[in-house]
Amino acid sequence: MAKNLTPSDATLEITQIKGVIGAKQNQRDTLRSLGLKRIGHTVVRKADAITVGMVNTVPHLVKVEEAK
């Protein structure tokens, strides 16, 4: 789970680890905005302020790692 990320020059691999059934609508919208569609789906994004804010909104639904 992601815990309070901060914007940086890093590249992040964001993976959805839990489903959106039962989640609030804004959390569903946030995952869709990140480009995540299903459990196990991974996207690579820059760690800018917008992306970090979205990840901090749904830390219980995603796993974040620094891309190599």
Side-chain angles (χ1 to χ4, degrees):
M1 287 188 233
K3 298 286 183 189
N4 295 328
L5 294 174
T6 56
S8 65
D9 295 335
T11 303
L12 303 175
E13 281 186 5
I14 306 165
T15 304
Q16 184 176 343
I17 58 169
K18 288 191 177 180
V20 295
I21 294 175
K24 295 180 181 176
Q25 186 64 44
N26 69 318
Q27 294 171 346
R28 294 177 188 218
D29 295 342
T30 300
L31 286 179
R32 182 58 94 180
S33 296
L34 283 168
L36 297 169
K37 299 180 180 182
R38 61 192 160 276
I39 297 172
H41 191 213
T42 302
V43 294
V44 177
R45 291 289 199 83
K46 296 282 185 190
D48 59 357
I50 294 170
T51 303
V52 168
M54 287 194 283
V55 169
N56 287 336
T57 302
V58 290
H60 56 291
L61 301 176
V62 297
K63 177 177 72 171
V64 180
E65 299 172 337
E66 192 166 338
K68 297 176 176 117

